[in-house]
Amino acid sequence: MNRTFSHHGFYSKLKKHKINLACQGMVSQDLLNLIALSLKRKAVDNEFVARRLFGVVVELAQNIYHYSAEKAYSEKDKCEVGVGIITVGEAADSYMVSSGNMIENRKAAGIKERIEYINKLDEEQLKTYYKEQRRLPKPEESKGANLGFIDLARRSNNPLKYTITQVSEQHSFFTLSIKIKKETT
Amino acid sequence: MENFYIKAANFIPEINFNADSGELSISGESYHEYTQEFYQPVFEWLRGYLATPNRVVTFNFRMYYYNTSSSRRFLEIFDLLEDYQNNHSGTIVINWYYKENDLDMLESGEEYAEDTGLKFNLLPYS
């Protein structure tokens, strides 16, 4: 471990940005269970929002699990699974769930295009698009349902916020942030 | 035909199919990373069960949460049921339960109803 790593610095940084949950590593099913328990315990005052929050964490985590360009061998799953980071932050009126993981540079343009397309759709169009995509057979290379981004956009009622930062000749770091309002109308 | 049962666990729903009464129920949470593999035995049982025509089937969905991948599997279940209703003289009733404040779950039920030719009872519980 790098001796210059400051736990207090890390702690302060999370605190400053009001991030009350941060996990880095293999985003396994077990980790999701722990997050689920912690969220269920926390947001008892609004079960509906808690469920939305959890749904967003699951979709982001499963994106990392299936699509991260960085993999680690999971003893339990007996296969390589994606590695990344998940954070849940809290502001006065909303939660912010974010994910970060490596992607291959050649996939960056496709991801950008898909998110930009989704961000142009209004609520009704998102619904139609979701139903259309669910009816289609999923693309061969897609390991998930190919519905994650649309679902995330629908749950947040906000544009998907993302960044793609090239870090090497092969890889970029991809972050996706989803805001969920505490009060639903 | 034998009944089909899977006990609920973390990220896995309870699945309780009663062959005699025709009451088939899925409840709880479903966010397995490999839903295709998980639901395969469910589909095998259903195909076997629906091979006999004229059955009266009540399908109860009482989900707390499911991921997008499970959402595809559910649509496939509804497609099987719809085909059974239309081509094998089946009678299908879908009971879609949602917690009364859970607008997402209500909307999900409405969307499935729009996507299939099946009758959905959207039933709130407290």
Side-chain angles (χ1 to χ4, degrees):
Chain A
M1 187 168 169
N2 187 342
R3 247 181 286 169
T4 60
F5 183 83
S6 158
H7 286 86
H8 181 252
F10 181 57
Y11 169 85
S12 308
K13 222 169 182 171
L14 294 179
K15 194 122 184 149
K16 187 178 156 215
H17 292 275
K18 297 204 167 53
I19 290 173
N20 44 34
L21 185 82
C23 317
Q24 188 269 334
M26 259 191 266
V27 187
S28 63
Q29 204 103 58
D30 300 316
L31 181 61
L32 273 184
N33 287 336
L34 286 178
I35 297 176
L37 275 179
S38 138
L39 293 178
K40 276 178 196 161
R41 218 165 270 167
K42 205 176 157 343
V44 279
D45 47 332
N46 191 335
E47 202 189 341
F48 176 56
V49 174
R51 206 171 337 202
R52 267 198 169 172
L53 192 55
F54 177 61
V56 167
V57 171
V58 171
E59 291 300 330
L60 287 176
Q62 293 186 335
N63 269 346
I64 295 174
Y65 184 94
H66 290 298
Y67 303 120
S68 174
E70 186 188 349
K71 310 269 184 201
Y73 185 76
S74 158
E75 191 55 49
K76 198 179 167 206
D77 297 358
K78 303 286 176 220
C79 65
E80 301 243 291
V81 307
V83 169
I85 180 168
I86 294 269
T87 62
V88 180
E90 184 172 355
D93 63 341
S94 62
Y95 294 96
M96 181 71 93
V97 189
S98 306
S99 66
N101 61 275
M102 293 294 179
I103 56 166
E104 288 166 43
N105 286 336
R106 62 184 175 86
K107 297 206 174 134
I111 292 174
K112 186 173 177 334
E113 196 184 332
R114 192 162 164 82
I115 294 177
E116 300 280 351
Y117 178 76
I118 287 168
N119 280 349
K120 282 196 202 98
L121 304 178
D122 65 23
E123 208 174 312
E124 210 42 45
Q125 290 167 323
L126 274 173
K127 173 182 162 169
T128 310
Y129 188 48
Y130 182 87
K131 286 166 67 182
E132 258 171 36
Q133 293 285 306
R134 187 167 63 181
R135 266 283 164 221
L136 293 177
K138 70 184 172 81
E140 202 53 48
E141 73 280 3
S142 172
K143 297 179 206 87
N146 210 32
L147 296 170
F149 288 169
I150 316 172
D151 183 67
L152 289 168
R154 293 187 73 190
R155 283 180 198 272
S156 73
N157 309 115
N158 281 290
L160 301 171
K161 275 175 61 183
Y162 73 101
T163 63
I164 297 177
T165 314
Q166 190 167 340
V167 292
S168 73
E169 263 176 44
Q170 284 85 37
H171 293 125
S172 294
F173 196 70
F174 168 55
T175 68
L176 189 55
S177 294
I178 312 296
K179 189 172 161 184
I180 298 162
K181 284 203 202 92
K182 286 182 181 173
E183 294 297 325
T184 50
T185 45
Chain B
M1 187 162 174
E2 281 192 32
N3 295 337
F4 182 88
Y5 184 76
I6 291 178
K7 192 174 176 298
N10 294 326
F11 60 82
I12 291 171
E14 180 185 87
I15 300 182
N16 194 352
F17 292 169
N18 189 316
D20 302 323
S21 68
E23 183 123 3
L24 317 184
S25 304
I26 298 186
S27 59
E29 297 184 316
S30 177
Y31 56 100
H32 202 287
E33 261 137 9
Y34 301 98
T35 56
Q36 215 145 4
E37 287 79 355
F38 172 73
Y39 280 98
Q40 200 185 337
V42 177
F43 282 100
E44 275 165 23
W45 189 93
L46 275 176
R47 285 198 190 93
Y49 184 66
L50 300 177
T52 305
N54 301 314
R55 291 191 192 274
V56 178
V57 178
T58 303
F59 213 117
N60 300 309
F61 275 85
R62 197 186 174 107
M63 299 304 295
Y64 175 81
Y65 168 73
Y66 57 90
N67 64 359
T68 51
S69 181
S70 302
S71 143
R72 273 185 182 269
R73 302 290 88 76
F74 291 173
L75 185 62
E76 288 160 9
I77 291 177
F78 293 132
D79 285 346
L80 271 184
L81 296 174
E82 190 181 2
D83 175 65
Y84 185 67
Q85 175 181 270
N86 295 344
N87 304 314
H88 305 278
S89 317
T91 306
I92 308 280
V93 174
I94 312 276
N95 292 323
W96 181 272
Y97 293 91
Y98 65 97
K99 192 127 196 216
E100 59 189 359
N101 63 351
D102 191 350
L103 306 174
D104 288 346
M105 196 57 78
L106 168 62
E107 196 177 17
S108 299
E110 288 170 348
E111 285 171 18
Y112 278 126
E114 289 161 17
D115 273 3
T116 61
L118 295 164
K119 180 176 162 35
F120 271 64
N121 297 317
L122 301 167
L123 305 165
Y125 65 92
S126 54

